[in-house]
Amino acid sequence: MKKAPGDEPNEALTVTPPKKWAAGVPAVVHALEYSLEETSPRRTGETLLTMNQVDGIDCPGCAWADPSPGHRHRNEYCENGAKHINDEATTRRINADFFRKYTVSELGRRSDAWLNQQGRLTEPMVKRPGSDSYEPISWNDAFGLLASELKSLESPDEAVFYTSGRASNEAAFALQLFARALGTNNLPDCSNMCHESSGYALHETLGTGKGTVSLDDLHNADLIFLVGQNPGSNHPRQLSALEQAKLNGARVIAVNPLPEAGLLRFKNPQNARGVIGHGIQIADRFLHIRNGGDLALFQGINRLLLEAEDARPGEVLAHDFIRSDTKGFEEFAEHARGIDWDDILTATGLTREEVEQVRDEVLRSDRVIVCWAMGITQHKHAVPTIREIVNFLLLRGNVGRAGTGACPVRGHSNVQGDRTMGIWEQMPDDFLDALQAEFGFDPPRPHGLDSVNSIKAMREGRIKFFLALAGNFVRAAPDSEITEEAMRNCRLTAQISTKLNRSHTVCGETALILPTLGRTERDIQADGEQFVTVENSMSEVHTSRGRLQPGSSLLLSEVAILCRLARRTLDGTADIPWEQFEADYGAIRDRISRIVPGLHDFNRRVTRPGSIQLPNPVNEGVYHNAVGKALFTANAWEMLHAPEGHLLLQTLRSHDQWNTVPYTSNDRYRGIRGSRRVVLVNPQDVAELGLAEGQHVDLISVWSDQVERRAEDFRVVPYPTTKGCAAAYYPETNVLVPLESVADKSNQPTSKGIVVRLEPATPRRDAAQG
Ligand SMILES: Nc1nc2c(c(=O)[nH]1)N[C@H]1C(S)=C(S)[C@@H](COP(=O)(O)OP(=O)(O)OC[C@H]3O[C@@H](n4cnc5c(=O)[nH]c(N)nc54)[C@H](O)[C@@H]3O)O[C@H]1N2
Ligand SMILES: Nc1nc2c(c(=O)[nH]1)N[C@H]1C(S)=C(S)[C@@H](COP(=O)(O)OP(=O)(O)OC[C@H]3O[C@@H](n4cnc5c(=O)[nH]c(N)nc54)[C@H](O)[C@@H]3O)O[C@H]1N2
Ligand SMILES: [Mo]
């Protein structure tokens, strides 16, 4: 299975030139079209109009922050947020009849898009050992089955609990508490594949795993870097903040191998400039960088800044700040001065003038922010790259002051909150101590398994039990064939999900589907209607409250599922009131308020309008890292290299997908319609490799283990990506990312830096279905 079964055919492909602007009126039209297809005008009103309002639903689209209460638009959502929310609010349903009609193998032959389109899951289902079908099971029996599996493990470390970043704070807290009371730290999450590298590098250098900027900082910056991110599709509301910054006089430098529409120009549908005018230019400068060249770029800029200081001593660097707040400057400076210009230009694909122009922009700017996302974190040298970005910020004191800072732009709407709640296989001792004091049990101290190590352990038979709180682990993880083998090797796999996906079809001997309420739905428990809380990319914690009737009377909330599972499984050694937690999520927040710094008095503060800003010690000049100061680092030179005849492949999102879930086969801003099985290649490479536009090719990744990883039948699309680089969509290309190919230190899969060769396509083996 090289070509995922059921992948859409790619005959219908049409290609037009990439768009040069994002959002505007077409975006609103697309949002409404999609939402009316999935739901009704009334439901659309109930979801979209309360989205990101003070007492409404937090948009599940991304983790971008909301403006303060007085500054929100009536329509505080974007096209893609609207699509994501309506994908959940759909009126389509899947019940036991559906699972009688399709066996697990048949479902396994359907595409990711088809699985998602079938509608909301409505009742708990079980696939028993030896069977190829899901059949209904009562909740009571489902919990019994899960509990007896867990109790039969030789060690709690034979269980793995995965979390995806849509889970609420309350559900995340309940899950980690349950896992630790059971006795394991095996708590992998989607963050392991997302911003793990940011967390590692920022912890080490600044003593925080989170960004240091607020929306106000962005509005007031002089210069903003957008590095390795595609805000037009993935964080559209960031464009409103950038528009505001530009109106306040900011300059923007975009760094990307692809000229993404949202980096170039933004037409804000909320104002006349966007609706009838030309919108606003976003990037003043666009650096068309080679994949993986960002470490070299920032090293080059840093070297030029040091040389500027030599020429004008005392005028360029923030000497007072460097003296008072940092360590390691001398070692860093010595290393930076020794970097070779030829290396920098080869790695970046830029000219020296381009890097010098960036230096001049920096020298003209008092307040600088660097934003980044997956184009930075999913590389082998992601951690040193982010450390180098921190060096860059520290040199001119661009940390801790208004209008400055580091801005890792988070993906999932609550991925940051889940970490705050303890979803991490290596939570620090102070958190574990607080759990111990609060609940009177000894949380396990050895670190648990992250996502990549979980797959290895599952494959080796060391894991018997896998439970996922949201997400689609099978498709999100690298090396699809190996991940599938690992999953099938488990005795029991269980998925707490809203919609059907491939992780339900690639499963253990016994498999459970535990259908749950989504964010759009009313959550009524014994003590009345509940709300949940989430944390955005700017460390603001606020409520989310659904309005729709639940998709089925059999759905349980995530919190209810976890509390009931815990009650059935744990023997009572820990003093945890699961029943009370389920009845009133406020009881969970009370406990959180005593464990998580900054969330004291959580229940009272969170119901006030606006949000709770979690403390950001860096902005007070406090650095909770090993040296107690902001750390300059000397980062060894590293460059990604594709040998002759090969390309460096990045795997990325289209405009019309939510992570592992494609909505359609179109990628509007990039001008691609009708197929996702495309590989974007620089026109010069198309010619040099002897390929032709539209040709059918297989992608084969090259890795030291000699295992052949092949993604079959992609069409070649000549595209303005950097020479030597290529791009294709995730998750269809995850089969190419070797499990062993991870970022140094953070163990994050290198989904943006895969060496591939292209071969004329082998004949198709399976007919694509729906
Ligand atoms: N609509 C929508 N929104 C989403 C998501 C979604 O799937 N759909 N997913 C959410 C999640 S979980 C996340 S993490 C975020 C992801 O948000 P992004 O990080 O924007 O997502 P990707 O599509 O992976 O895009 C990576 C970008 O980095 C660029 N890039 C790749 N390699 C390099 C490099 O080496 N250097 C530089 N400078 N640039 C590079 C690519 O060309 C692309 O523009 O979006 C979130 N928001
Ligand atoms: N090659 C490659 N691989 C990647 C990436 C890449 O860029 N390239 N990106 C990585 C990144 S950044 C991330 S974050 C991961 C994403 O990995 P995941 O977070 O695991 O995947 P998603 O596609 O977001 O999960 C979608 C599923 O979540 C479930 N779901 C949706 N909403 C809810 C809810 O409210 N509650 C519950 N319980 N379930 C819900 C639905 O069943 C849906 O099918 O993928 C990673 N993998
Ligand atoms: Mo992500």
Side-chain angles (χ1 to χ4, degrees), residues 720-758:
T721 181
T722 330
K723 178 138 183 0
C725 302
Y729 300 124
Y730 132 77
E732 289 84 345
T733 45
N734 285 39
V735 65
L736 298 172
V737 184
L739 189 62
E740 299 287 344
S741 178
V742 291
D744 298 333
K745 306 285 185 193
S746 67
N747 213 30
Q748 176 168 349
T750 61
S751 310
K752 296 288 188 278
I754 302 297
V755 175
V756 294
R757 63 171 199 276
L758 277 46

mmCIF file of all heavy atoms in Angstrom, residues 720-758:
data_model
loop_
_atom_site.group_PDB
_atom_site.id
_atom_site.type_symbol
_atom_site.label_atom_id
_atom_site.label_comp_id
_atom_site.label_asym_id
_atom_site.label_seq_id
_atom_site.Cartn_x
_atom_site.Cartn_y
_atom_site.Cartn_z
ATOM 1 N N PRO A 720 6.382 28.120 -8.771
ATOM 2 C CA PRO A 720 7.501 28.962 -8.327
ATOM 3 C C PRO A 720 7.997 28.639 -6.915
ATOM 4 O O PRO A 720 8.007 29.498 -6.035
ATOM 5 C CB PRO A 720 6.922 30.376 -8.401
ATOM 6 C CG PRO A 720 5.450 30.206 -8.288
ATOM 7 C CD PRO A 720 5.131 28.882 -8.922
ATOM 8 N N THR A 721 8.397 27.384 -6.687
ATOM 9 C CA THR A 721 9.091 27.080 -5.435
ATOM 10 C C THR A 721 10.583 27.248 -5.710
ATOM 11 O O THR A 721 11.004 27.339 -6.862
ATOM 12 C CB THR A 721 8.775 25.660 -4.921
ATOM 13 O OG1 THR A 721 9.481 25.459 -3.688
ATOM 14 C CG2 THR A 721 9.189 24.577 -5.912
ATOM 15 N N THR A 722 11.371 27.317 -4.659
ATOM 16 C CA THR A 722 12.805 27.533 -4.828
ATOM 17 C C THR A 722 13.420 26.378 -5.602
ATOM 18 O O THR A 722 12.978 25.232 -5.462
ATOM 19 C CB THR A 722 13.486 27.598 -3.455
ATOM 20 O OG1 THR A 722 12.557 28.105 -2.519
ATOM 21 C CG2 THR A 722 14.712 28.473 -3.480
ATOM 22 N N LYS A 723 14.446 26.674 -6.365
ATOM 23 C CA LYS A 723 15.115 25.628 -7.144
ATOM 24 C C LYS A 723 15.676 24.560 -6.206
ATOM 25 O O LYS A 723 16.191 24.862 -5.140
ATOM 26 C CB LYS A 723 16.240 26.256 -7.967
ATOM 27 C CG LYS A 723 17.016 25.261 -8.763
ATOM 28 C CD LYS A 723 17.330 25.754 -10.145
ATOM 29 C CE LYS A 723 18.051 24.716 -10.995
ATOM 30 N NZ LYS A 723 18.341 23.431 -10.431
ATOM 31 N N GLY A 724 15.517 23.308 -6.609
ATOM 32 C CA GLY A 724 16.015 22.206 -5.783
ATOM 33 C C GLY A 724 15.004 21.723 -4.755
ATOM 34 O O GLY A 724 15.228 20.734 -4.074
ATOM 35 N N CYS A 725 13.887 22.435 -4.646
ATOM 36 C CA CYS A 725 12.888 22.089 -3.621
ATOM 37 C C CYS A 725 11.581 21.661 -4.285
ATOM 38 O O CYS A 725 11.335 21.958 -5.435
ATOM 39 C CB CYS A 725 12.627 23.296 -2.720
ATOM 40 S SG CYS A 725 14.131 23.888 -1.926
ATOM 41 N N ALA A 726 10.764 20.965 -3.526
ATOM 42 C CA ALA A 726 9.464 20.531 -4.032
ATOM 43 C C ALA A 726 8.482 20.547 -2.874
ATOM 44 O O ALA A 726 8.879 20.582 -1.707
ATOM 45 C CB ALA A 726 9.575 19.126 -4.610
ATOM 46 N N ALA A 727 7.201 20.522 -3.219
ATOM 47 C CA ALA A 727 6.171 20.502 -2.181
ATOM 48 C C ALA A 727 5.040 19.579 -2.601
ATOM 49 O O ALA A 727 4.706 19.506 -3.783
ATOM 50 C CB ALA A 727 5.630 21.926 -1.942
ATOM 51 N N ALA A 728 4.478 18.862 -1.623
ATOM 52 C CA ALA A 728 3.310 18.016 -1.873
ATOM 53 C C ALA A 728 2.504 17.952 -0.588
ATOM 54 O O ALA A 728 3.000 18.285 0.487
ATOM 55 C CB ALA A 728 3.745 16.620 -2.313
ATOM 56 N N TYR A 729 1.244 17.542 -0.710
ATOM 57 C CA TYR A 729 0.354 17.633 0.447
ATOM 58 C C TYR A 729 0.554 16.504 1.453
ATOM 59 O O TYR A 729 0.838 15.367 1.103
ATOM 60 C CB TYR A 729 -1.109 17.646 -0.002
ATOM 61 C CG TYR A 729 -1.432 18.807 -0.907
ATOM 62 C CD1 TYR A 729 -1.987 18.596 -2.161
ATOM 63 C CD2 TYR A 729 -1.146 20.108 -0.509
ATOM 64 C CE1 TYR A 729 -2.269 19.669 -3.001
ATOM 65 C CE2 TYR A 729 -1.417 21.185 -1.347
ATOM 66 C CZ TYR A 729 -1.973 20.957 -2.591
ATOM 67 O OH TYR A 729 -2.236 22.006 -3.416
ATOM 68 N N TYR A 730 0.354 16.902 2.708
ATOM 69 C CA TYR A 730 0.203 15.988 3.829
ATOM 70 C C TYR A 730 -1.286 15.737 3.946
ATOM 71 O O TYR A 730 -2.049 16.649 3.661
ATOM 72 C CB TYR A 730 0.831 16.679 5.043
ATOM 73 C CG TYR A 730 0.110 16.749 6.359
ATOM 74 C CD1 TYR A 730 0.047 15.649 7.201
ATOM 75 C CD2 TYR A 730 -0.483 17.943 6.784
ATOM 76 C CE1 TYR A 730 -0.578 15.750 8.446
ATOM 77 C CE2 TYR A 730 -1.094 18.036 8.023
ATOM 78 C CZ TYR A 730 -1.150 16.935 8.839
ATOM 79 O OH TYR A 730 -1.760 17.027 10.054
ATOM 80 N N PRO A 731 -1.812 14.571 4.313
ATOM 81 C CA PRO A 731 -1.093 13.380 4.780
ATOM 82 C C PRO A 731 -0.741 12.372 3.677
ATOM 83 O O PRO A 731 -0.178 11.329 3.986
ATOM 84 C CB PRO A 731 -2.109 12.745 5.738
ATOM 85 C CG PRO A 731 -3.434 13.059 5.118
ATOM 86 C CD PRO A 731 -3.277 14.415 4.487
ATOM 87 N N GLU A 732 -1.043 12.672 2.411
ATOM 88 C CA GLU A 732 -0.789 11.684 1.350
ATOM 89 C C GLU A 732 0.686 11.318 1.268
ATOM 90 O O GLU A 732 1.042 10.230 0.791
ATOM 91 C CB GLU A 732 -1.256 12.228 -0.006
ATOM 92 C CG GLU A 732 -2.771 12.325 -0.173
ATOM 93 C CD GLU A 732 -3.375 13.596 0.393
ATOM 94 O OE1 GLU A 732 -2.687 14.302 1.180
ATOM 95 O OE2 GLU A 732 -4.540 13.894 0.067
ATOM 96 N N THR A 733 1.566 12.251 1.694
ATOM 97 C CA THR A 733 2.998 12.004 1.552
ATOM 98 C C THR A 733 3.669 11.575 2.863
ATOM 99 O O THR A 733 4.894 11.433 2.901
ATOM 100 C CB THR A 733 3.705 13.286 1.044
ATOM 101 O OG1 THR A 733 3.212 14.388 1.794
ATOM 102 C CG2 THR A 733 3.427 13.503 -0.434
ATOM 103 N N ASN A 734 2.870 11.350 3.925
ATOM 104 C CA ASN A 734 3.503 10.929 5.190
ATOM 105 C C ASN A 734 4.228 9.606 5.056
ATOM 106 O O ASN A 734 5.157 9.310 5.808
ATOM 107 C CB ASN A 734 2.455 10.836 6.304
ATOM 108 C CG ASN A 734 2.034 12.201 6.787
ATOM 109 O OD1 ASN A 734 1.894 13.121 5.981
ATOM 110 N ND2 ASN A 734 1.861 12.358 8.078
ATOM 111 N N VAL A 735 3.812 8.792 4.073
ATOM 112 C CA VAL A 735 4.468 7.516 3.808
ATOM 113 C C VAL A 735 5.957 7.723 3.493
ATOM 114 O O VAL A 735 6.770 6.816 3.665
ATOM 115 C CB VAL A 735 3.718 6.804 2.648
ATOM 116 C CG1 VAL A 735 3.838 7.583 1.343
ATOM 117 C CG2 VAL A 735 4.165 5.385 2.487
ATOM 118 N N LEU A 736 6.330 8.951 3.098
ATOM 119 C CA LEU A 736 7.720 9.207 2.700
ATOM 120 C C LEU A 736 8.611 9.655 3.856
ATOM 121 O O LEU A 736 9.831 9.727 3.710
ATOM 122 C CB LEU A 736 7.752 10.313 1.628
ATOM 123 C CG LEU A 736 7.023 9.999 0.320
ATOM 124 C CD1 LEU A 736 6.967 11.237 -0.571
ATOM 125 C CD2 LEU A 736 7.741 8.858 -0.407
ATOM 126 N N VAL A 737 8.004 10.005 4.989
ATOM 127 C CA VAL A 737 8.796 10.582 6.089
ATOM 128 C C VAL A 737 9.289 9.451 6.999
ATOM 129 O O VAL A 737 8.501 8.853 7.726
ATOM 130 C CB VAL A 737 7.930 11.578 6.922
ATOM 131 C CG1 VAL A 737 8.769 12.254 7.990
ATOM 132 C CG2 VAL A 737 7.266 12.608 6.015
ATOM 133 N N PRO A 738 10.581 9.121 6.969
ATOM 134 C CA PRO A 738 11.058 7.997 7.772
ATOM 135 C C PRO A 738 10.867 8.265 9.267
ATOM 136 O O PRO A 738 11.095 9.381 9.729
ATOM 137 C CB PRO A 738 12.548 7.913 7.434
ATOM 138 C CG PRO A 738 12.707 8.671 6.158
ATOM 139 C CD PRO A 738 11.667 9.738 6.193
ATOM 140 N N LEU A 739 10.442 7.245 9.987
ATOM 141 C CA LEU A 739 10.226 7.385 11.430
ATOM 142 C C LEU A 739 11.494 7.877 12.135
ATOM 143 O O LEU A 739 11.434 8.603 13.120
ATOM 144 C CB LEU A 739 9.781 6.033 12.002
ATOM 145 C CG LEU A 739 9.306 6.014 13.439
ATOM 146 C CD1 LEU A 739 8.074 6.890 13.625
ATOM 147 C CD2 LEU A 739 8.999 4.590 13.891
ATOM 148 N N GLU A 740 12.646 7.452 11.615
ATOM 149 C CA GLU A 740 13.920 7.822 12.255
ATOM 150 C C GLU A 740 14.358 9.236 11.871
ATOM 151 O O GLU A 740 15.339 9.745 12.407
ATOM 152 C CB GLU A 740 15.034 6.856 11.830
ATOM 153 C CG GLU A 740 14.782 5.404 12.212
ATOM 154 C CD GLU A 740 14.954 5.150 13.708
ATOM 155 O OE1 GLU A 740 15.551 6.003 14.382
ATOM 156 O OE2 GLU A 740 14.465 4.098 14.167
ATOM 157 N N SER A 741 13.677 9.856 10.918
ATOM 158 C CA SER A 741 14.100 11.182 10.467
ATOM 159 C C SER A 741 13.437 12.239 11.342
ATOM 160 O O SER A 741 12.304 12.650 11.109
ATOM 161 C CB SER A 741 13.710 11.379 8.999
ATOM 162 O OG SER A 741 14.081 12.673 8.585
ATOM 163 N N VAL A 742 14.147 12.635 12.387
ATOM 164 C CA VAL A 742 13.563 13.548 13.373
ATOM 165 C C VAL A 742 14.489 14.727 13.640
ATOM 166 O O VAL A 742 15.692 14.670 13.353
ATOM 167 C CB VAL A 742 13.304 12.829 14.723
ATOM 168 C CG1 VAL A 742 12.185 11.813 14.589
ATOM 169 C CG2 VAL A 742 14.575 12.181 15.240
ATOM 170 N N ALA A 743 13.910 15.770 14.187
ATOM 171 C CA ALA A 743 14.701 16.933 14.575
ATOM 172 C C ALA A 743 15.595 16.556 15.756
ATOM 173 O O ALA A 743 15.156 15.855 16.672
ATOM 174 C CB ALA A 743 13.773 18.079 14.960
ATOM 175 N N ASP A 744 16.832 17.038 15.726
ATOM 176 C CA ASP A 744 17.735 16.807 16.846
ATOM 177 C C ASP A 744 17.127 17.445 18.096
ATOM 178 O O ASP A 744 16.558 18.526 18.034
ATOM 179 C CB ASP A 744 19.096 17.456 16.564
ATOM 180 C CG ASP A 744 19.753 16.842 15.332
ATOM 181 O OD1 ASP A 744 19.476 15.666 15.025
ATOM 182 O OD2 ASP A 744 20.524 17.548 14.652
ATOM 183 N N LYS A 745 17.243 16.795 19.219
ATOM 184 C CA LYS A 745 16.770 17.255 20.531
ATOM 185 C C LYS A 745 15.253 17.133 20.727
ATOM 186 O O LYS A 745 14.796 16.665 21.752
ATOM 187 C CB LYS A 745 17.147 18.725 20.831
ATOM 188 C CG LYS A 745 18.601 19.039 20.689
ATOM 189 C CD LYS A 745 19.376 18.493 21.850
ATOM 190 C CE LYS A 745 20.837 18.927 21.774
ATOM 191 N NZ LYS A 745 21.658 18.168 22.704
ATOM 192 N N SER A 746 14.442 17.592 19.760
ATOM 193 C CA SER A 746 12.994 17.616 20.002
ATOM 194 C C SER A 746 12.297 16.343 19.534
ATOM 195 O O SER A 746 11.138 16.125 19.875
ATOM 196 C CB SER A 746 12.364 18.819 19.310
ATOM 197 O OG SER A 746 12.457 18.660 17.909
ATOM 198 N N ASN A 747 12.991 15.518 18.737
ATOM 199 C CA ASN A 747 12.415 14.259 18.245
ATOM 200 C C ASN A 747 11.165 14.480 17.399
ATOM 201 O O ASN A 747 10.293 13.622 17.321
ATOM 202 C CB ASN A 747 12.088 13.322 19.423
ATOM 203 C CG ASN A 747 12.258 11.856 19.053
ATOM 204 O OD1 ASN A 747 13.093 11.518 18.210
ATOM 205 N ND2 ASN A 747 11.480 10.982 19.655
ATOM 206 N N GLN A 748 11.076 15.627 16.767
ATOM 207 C CA GLN A 748 9.912 15.950 15.923
ATOM 208 C C GLN A 748 10.168 15.460 14.501
ATOM 209 O O GLN A 748 11.243 15.689 13.952
ATOM 210 C CB GLN A 748 9.704 17.470 15.941
ATOM 211 C CG GLN A 748 8.592 17.925 15.033
ATOM 212 C CD GLN A 748 8.201 19.375 15.255
ATOM 213 O OE1 GLN A 748 8.611 20.017 16.218
ATOM 214 N NE2 GLN A 748 7.403 19.901 14.351
ATOM 215 N N PRO A 749 9.189 14.792 13.872
ATOM 216 C CA PRO A 749 9.391 14.322 12.500
ATOM 217 C C PRO A 749 9.744 15.472 11.553
ATOM 218 O O PRO A 749 9.212 16.574 11.681
ATOM 219 C CB PRO A 749 8.036 13.709 12.131
ATOM 220 C CG PRO A 749 7.402 13.361 13.436
ATOM 221 C CD PRO A 749 7.876 14.388 14.412
ATOM 222 N N THR A 750 10.628 15.188 10.590
ATOM 223 C CA THR A 750 11.122 16.236 9.696
ATOM 224 C C THR A 750 10.260 16.334 8.443
ATOM 225 O O THR A 750 10.745 16.132 7.331
ATOM 226 C CB THR A 750 12.572 15.936 9.279
ATOM 227 O OG1 THR A 750 12.555 14.683 8.573
ATOM 228 C CG2 THR A 750 13.501 15.816 10.458
ATOM 229 N N SER A 751 9.014 16.669 8.623
ATOM 230 C CA SER A 751 8.061 16.657 7.498
ATOM 231 C C SER A 751 8.320 17.719 6.437
ATOM 232 O O SER A 751 7.676 17.711 5.401
ATOM 233 C CB SER A 751 6.640 16.852 8.036
ATOM 234 O OG SER A 751 6.394 15.967 9.088
ATOM 235 N N LYS A 752 9.238 18.652 6.697
ATOM 236 C CA LYS A 752 9.503 19.688 5.690
ATOM 237 C C LYS A 752 10.869 19.504 5.024
ATOM 238 O O LYS A 752 11.288 20.377 4.264
ATOM 239 C CB LYS A 752 9.448 21.080 6.337
ATOM 240 C CG LYS A 752 8.093 21.477 6.886
ATOM 241 C CD LYS A 752 7.084 21.793 5.815
ATOM 242 C CE LYS A 752 5.802 22.379 6.391
ATOM 243 N NZ LYS A 752 4.866 21.357 6.900
ATOM 244 N N GLY A 753 11.550 18.401 5.307
ATOM 245 C CA GLY A 753 12.877 18.253 4.706
ATOM 246 C C GLY A 753 13.170 16.799 4.355
ATOM 247 O O GLY A 753 13.925 16.130 5.051
ATOM 248 N N ILE A 754 12.544 16.306 3.276
ATOM 249 C CA ILE A 754 12.707 14.907 2.880
ATOM 250 C C ILE A 754 13.388 14.869 1.519
ATOM 251 O O ILE A 754 12.934 15.522 0.574
ATOM 252 C CB ILE A 754 11.313 14.236 2.756
ATOM 253 C CG1 ILE A 754 10.558 14.336 4.082
ATOM 254 C CG2 ILE A 754 11.422 12.786 2.322
ATOM 255 C CD1 ILE A 754 11.213 13.604 5.211
ATOM 256 N N VAL A 755 14.460 14.110 1.410
ATOM 257 C CA VAL A 755 15.135 13.973 0.117
ATOM 258 C C VAL A 755 14.357 12.958 -0.726
ATOM 259 O O VAL A 755 14.124 11.835 -0.295
ATOM 260 C CB VAL A 755 16.586 13.492 0.308
ATOM 261 C CG1 VAL A 755 17.248 13.234 -1.045
ATOM 262 C CG2 VAL A 755 17.381 14.520 1.105
ATOM 263 N N VAL A 756 13.930 13.385 -1.913
ATOM 264 C CA VAL A 756 13.169 12.465 -2.785
ATOM 265 C C VAL A 756 13.719 12.451 -4.207
ATOM 266 O O VAL A 756 14.382 13.393 -4.640
ATOM 267 C CB VAL A 756 11.667 12.862 -2.894
ATOM 268 C CG1 VAL A 756 10.953 12.709 -1.570
ATOM 269 C CG2 VAL A 756 11.496 14.269 -3.446
ATOM 270 N N ARG A 757 13.406 11.361 -4.911
ATOM 271 C CA ARG A 757 13.591 11.383 -6.358
ATOM 272 C C ARG A 757 12.241 11.076 -6.997
ATOM 273 O O ARG A 757 11.366 10.467 -6.373
ATOM 274 C CB ARG A 757 14.681 10.405 -6.790
ATOM 275 C CG ARG A 757 14.422 8.973 -6.523
ATOM 276 C CD ARG A 757 15.488 8.081 -7.203
ATOM 277 N NE ARG A 757 14.959 6.742 -7.290
ATOM 278 C CZ ARG A 757 15.026 5.853 -6.298
ATOM 279 N NH1 ARG A 757 15.637 6.164 -5.158
ATOM 280 N NH2 ARG A 757 14.490 4.665 -6.448
ATOM 281 N N LEU A 758 12.090 11.540 -8.225
ATOM 282 C CA LEU A 758 10.830 11.361 -8.937
ATOM 283 C C LEU A 758 11.054 10.358 -10.058
ATOM 284 O O LEU A 758 12.020 10.485 -10.802
ATOM 285 C CB LEU A 758 10.367 12.710 -9.527
ATOM 286 C CG LEU A 758 9.605 13.673 -8.610
ATOM 287 C CD1 LEU A 758 10.243 13.848 -7.252
ATOM 288 C CD2 LEU A 758 9.386 15.010 -9.279
#
